[in-house]
Every structure is written in C-alpha cells, then in structure tokens.
Amino acid sequence: MDIRIPRGTQDILPDDARRWQYIEDKIHDICRRFNYAEIRTPIFEQTELFQRGVGDTTDIVQKEMYTFTDRGGRSLTLRPEGTAAVVRSYVENKLYGSAVQPQKLYYIGPMFRYERPQSGRMRQFVQFGVEAIGSADPAIDAEVIALAVDFYKELGLDGLKLVLNSLGDSASRHAHREALIKHFRPQIDEFCDDCKNRLEANPLRILDCKTDKEHPLMKTAPSILDYLNEQSQQYFKTVKELLDEMGIAYEVDPGLVRGLDYYNNTAFEIMIEGKGFGAITTLMGGGRYNGLVEEIGGPESPGIGFALSIERLLMALDTQGVTLPDSKGLDCYIAAVGEEPSKRAVALMTELRRAGITCDKDYTAKKMKGQFKAANRLGALYTAVLGEDELEKEVITVKSMTEGNQEEIPLKDFISYMKNKLEDEKK
Ligand code: HAM
C-alpha cells in the first residue's frame, strides 16, 4: 500500500486505546475532585487568534502552525494549543459575566504543530489542559500546580521535578526586557538568525534558544528574578509558601521562560528525570496569563493553566515500567454450535448485556475447540456452552476459565447465575 499515515501522527490501536481510556477516566476523575468542568472547543480557529494569543514572535506561530485557506477564503489554523481557544470561548460566550469566578475549565483533545518528529514530539498530539480564568489569587496558581502533580503521582510516576519561575508583571518584564537587549546587543552577531530577530521583538526568547545555548552570554544574562518589582516578588513568594504548605517540592529556575508569549508572573514545568527518557524531559508546562483575555477582546480577567500531552505521559509510564490496570476481558463467552443454539445465544447475549455483563460469541462458524480458543484469547472469565443437546434439555454448561470446573444450569436461571458468579468474583 502506498498510502501511509502522515509523519508525526499515530494510530491508537485497541490494546493501546484501553490505556488511553484509563488515563482519560483519571483526568475526568481528578478534575471532578478539583471542581474543574470540561470545555470543548473546535479543532480549528481563525489564524489570527493564535497570532494574537500565542504571539507572532513565537516558534509556534512562525514555524509550526497548520494554516490553510478554506473555500470561503478565510485563514484557519488547526489549533497548536488549547489556551487561546479556551480564552476565545470565555470571551465569546461571556463566561466572565457568570457569577462563578474563576471559571475552572479543562479539556482533552488533539493539537497540531509542524515540528520535527521524534520520540515524544508529534505533529498531532493530545493535550490535557486546565485553565482557571477570572482570579488573580495565588491560591489558584498553587491549586493548578497541585492538580498536575497529583495527577502524575496518582498514575504511579515518580522522579518528577517541578520547576518554577516568575516572569513578573508587565512593569517587571519591561525592565528585564531592556536589560536583556542591553546585554545581548553588543555581541548579537555571534548568535543565530532567530536570536537576531528576537533581540528587539522578544529578547526573553533568546534564553530558550537551542542553537546558542552554550554561548557565554547566556550564563551571564540578567535574571528576571532580579527585576521583579515589589508586587511581583510578593506574588511569587505567596505561591511558593502555598506550595510549601501543600507539601509540594519545587526548584526555582530563573531560566525557565516558556515558549508562548502570553505568560506573566508564575511559570512552571514538570520534568522527568532518569535514563531511558531521551532528549524530551518536559512532561508538562503552564503559567499565568493575566493580559490574554483582554488581548482577545474581553474584560480584564487574569488566568492560569497548564497542559500536558498524553503521549509524553505514556512514554514516562513505559520508561518507569508502570503498568495500568487492564480492563480487557469478557465476563462471558457463549460458545454455541449449530443453527438453533447460535440463534439462542444471540438472545441470551442481549439479556446478559442488559444485565451489565460483557459478553461475546463467535461469528465465523468456528468449531467448539476454536471457540474455546477464542474465549481464552479474549480473556473470558466464563465460557457458556450451548449445543443441540443442551438446548433440548433447556440447560447451558458454564465453565470457569480460571478454575476449570463447570456446572450445568437451567437456561431460565442462566442470567441470574452469571450475575451471582460475577458478584462473587469481585469480592
Ligand atoms: P506547551 O509548553 O507548548 O504549552 O505545551 C504543553 C505540553 O504539551 C508539553 O509540556 C508537552 O507535554 C505537550 N507537547 C507540546 N508539544 C508537543 C509535541 N509536539 N508532541 C507531544 N507533546 C507535546 C501549552 O501548550 C500551553 N497552552 C500550556 C498552558 C495552558 N499554559 C497555560 N495554560
């Protein structure tokens, strides 16, 4: 076959899909406990949303967007991240007018970035993200961080490192920006073209450059933490105190600048340590974005959030050898041979399923031996045999696949018998 899956994307086949469903269940569960409600926004948006929201000078907007013109001549973009879209929805649906503030929202969905694919870096990936919009209370920063930390821990990951920084408010950032320009300008010719362009447009991004990361000026660059004004310092201090209060360990790294433009004050990432994880060690990232709602056309509404990809999470679980509980397996397989027994099996399955029991049968005219093999392959706990003889006597033979013993049950009692057996199994 010549047609292949696009680079940087993947099929999630049934065995793997179970792991995804397990993780998605965990996401819904933890978000319920933290009182975050799900929001679903379109896969594509007007291109301008990301240009304004994520920022014209970012790699995402400059190099990584899947942008196309639709038949009506509009420029649309497959969303590269969720925050700008959630903020657009918050503004458009006037969620800022709700009595409930902050709006505590979460989403799970595919994002698209034209990146160089490698392990942990996909062109289509699924983000779980959380956004709390409408509060500038440092307690909400701490809550959002705690949600991410607890989520990873509950899945059984360890070796996590929470890295924290403050990017300050706009006054602090402005002062830092001037200092950065002054620092890099005299030697900017020694830097890559991207950095040259960043010098005036967005000098903070120079600190995140992969090409020039060894340049001596990088190490001596002015730290944002030295430029935080009184208010920003106080804010950062409170966030740290709250994390201490919650028993959440962190490291402060003034070099953590994040790749999107909307951040101010709190910025954070969770990294994973340990060998076998390759070059990609950042599991999730987030931060505060106090000007974004206004930038998108809404009233002043401070926000904070994070996003993580399920692909990187699964990689981390695999590297650490964490196996997720397997929900695979049938309660009951009905092995029916012959025309009448097969018909009866269909009716019995309907009743079993209505009683909440997972079951299946053969649809490929297999002999009895083949059907038992299939039952085994499907992980059935019980196999119920229905042949012409059984049907004549109005019975069914139920075999426990784990213990090997079997019992003949009147057909009329089969459903309640199975219910009881499965109840016992759970005890
Ligand atoms: P981001 O740092 O660009 O932030 O991405 C967040 C997370 O998405 C990363 O830490 C990683 O887990 C995952 N991710 C990003 N790119 C890829 C990729 N190519 N392949 C696999 N996984 C990837 C944001 O997207 C912000 N919207 C986060 C945020 C929410 N900030 C505030 N609220």
Side-chain angles (χ1 to χ4, degrees):
M1 192 173 76
D2 291 339
I3 301 176
R4 292 186 184 277
I5 194 167
R7 242 165 87 71
T9 68
Q10 64 171 341
D11 294 318
I12 297 165
L13 299 177
D15 272 344
D16 220 19
R18 277 190 207 97
R19 303 208 301 156
W20 280 76
Q21 285 175 346
Y22 178 82
I23 288 171
E24 284 158 11
D25 286 349
K26 284 283 180 198
I27 292 172
H28 296 303
D29 174 55
I30 197 162
C31 287
R32 234 187 325 268
R33 277 183 281 140
F34 278 73
N35 194 31
Y36 283 70
E38 189 179 4
I39 182 163
R40 302 185 188 199
T41 62
I43 299 284
F44 56 84
E45 296 272 355
Q46 285 181 31
T47 302
E48 200 192 335
L49 172 67
F50 302 112
Q51 289 168 335
R52 289 228 314 251
V54 175
D56 265 331
T57 60
T58 59
D59 280 357
I60 294 181
V61 170
Q62 286 189 349
K63 302 180 191 167
E64 296 172 0
M65 295 211 298
Y66 280 92
T67 297
F68 59 98
T69 308
D70 77 359
R71 287 169 192 271
R74 304 169 191 89
S75 179
L76 299 172
T77 294
L78 299 184
R79 60 182 184 192
E81 61 102 48
T83 312
V86 169
V87 167
R88 195 247 336 117
S89 181
Y90 179 87
V91 173
E92 195 163 346
N93 295 293
K94 301 192 171 53
L95 298 185
Y96 51 78
S98 161
V100 181
Q101 298 297 332
Q103 287 276 307
K104 305 208 297 183
L105 308 165
Y106 77 97
Y107 49 90
I108 309 173
M111 308 291 159
F112 305 84
R113 294 184 193 177
Y114 190 81
E115 296 199 79
R116 201 165 57 79
Q118 50 182 299
S119 131
R121 181 163 289 147
M122 313 280 298
R123 288 186 174 169
Q124 174 174 335
F125 54 97
V126 174
Q127 271 188 349
F128 156 41
V130 155
E131 315 290 351
I133 312 175
S135 165
D137 184 338
I140 201 87
D141 301 42
E143 176 180 279
V144 162
I145 295 172
L147 196 161
V149 170
D150 280 9
F151 173 66
Y152 285 125
K153 282 208 179 133
E154 287 177 17
L155 283 169
L157 276 185
D158 44 41
L160 299 174
K161 187 167 79 173
L162 170 64
V163 185
L164 205 60
N165 191 19
S166 171
L167 301 174
D169 61 10
S170 55
S172 313
R173 288 185 64 143
H174 185 75
H176 183 229
R177 184 193 136 87
E178 297 304 310
L180 285 171
I181 296 178
K182 214 165 134 200
H183 178 74
F184 285 111
R185 181 175 282 138
Q187 281 167 265
I188 195 66
D189 288 345
E190 297 161 24
F191 284 75
C192 70
D193 285 346
D194 278 344
C195 284
K196 287 188 189 103
N197 293 330
R198 285 169 185 145
L199 182 69
E200 290 294 335
N202 193 352
L204 194 65
R205 305 275 322 122
I206 298 180
L207 300 179
D208 213 21
C209 178
K210 304 278 176 291
T211 320
D212 296 316
K213 65 173 188 283
E214 299 303 332
H215 194 287
L217 281 193
M218 289 292 209
K219 289 184 187 64
T220 53
S223 161
I224 177 70
L225 296 181
D226 296 330
Y227 288 81
L228 295 183
N229 57 19
E230 185 58 37
Q231 217 180 348
S232 300
Q233 272 179 36
Q234 190 52 45
Y235 196 91
F236 193 37
K237 187 165 165 270
T238 313
V239 172
K240 288 186 291 185
E241 282 167 0
L242 287 163
L243 291 174
D244 292 338
E245 198 81 30
M246 293 163 126
I248 295 178
Y250 54 84
E251 268 174 37
V252 173
D253 178 359
L256 176 74
V257 296
R258 308 275 305 127
L260 302 89
D261 268 1
Y262 45 63
Y263 292 114
N264 37 57
N265 289 311
T266 318
F268 54 93
E269 289 186 350
I270 291 182
M271 331 281 281
I272 188 151
E273 293 178 315
K275 52 178 191 289
F277 204 73
I280 311 288
T281 54
T282 303
L283 286 187
M284 76 107 210
R288 188 161 263 294
Y289 45 86
N290 287 351
L292 187 58
V293 174
E294 282 166 289
E295 180 68 40
I296 306 298
E300 192 189 332
S301 318
I304 180 159
F306 73 79
L308 62 90
S309 72
I310 298 185
E311 287 81 356
R312 284 194 197 170
L313 166 62
L314 284 169
M315 263 179 76
L317 291 168
D318 286 344
T319 319
Q320 297 197 349
V322 180
T323 50
L324 302 177
D326 196 350
S327 59
K328 186 174 143 187
L330 290 176
D331 295 329
C332 179
Y333 185 90
I334 304 190
V337 175
E339 201 173 316
E340 278 311 307
S342 294
K343 267 194 201 156
R344 191 64 179 268
V346 171
L348 288 172
M349 285 207 304
T350 310
E351 283 187 69
L352 285 173
R353 287 167 178 164
R354 285 181 185 156
I357 295 171
T358 60
C359 60
D360 210 344
K361 72 182 280 296
D362 168 62
Y363 297 97
T364 56
K366 279 196 196 70
K367 301 217 170 66
M368 189 53 80
K369 205 172 150 198
Q371 295 198 26
F372 261 93
K373 270 195 190 159
N376 258 323
R377 216 174 294 127
L378 293 169
L381 289 173
Y382 292 90
T383 300
V385 178
L386 191 63
E388 306 280 0
D389 289 352
E390 277 90 357
L391 207 54
E392 206 156 291
K393 291 195 283 178
E394 279 292 311
V395 295
I396 189 161
T397 305
V398 181
K399 179 173 180 185
S400 160
M401 303 295 277
T402 43
E403 282 158 26
N405 54 324
Q406 57 183 51
E407 266 185 279
E408 204 175 78
I409 311 295
L411 264 174
K412 63 176 178 31
D413 299 333
F414 175 52
I415 309 295
S416 53
Y417 174 85
M418 284 306 306
K419 271 170 98 169
N420 289 337
K421 278 281 175 195
L422 291 164
E423 278 299 316
D424 289 348
E425 201 87 31
K426 279 192 205 129
K427 282 178 193 156

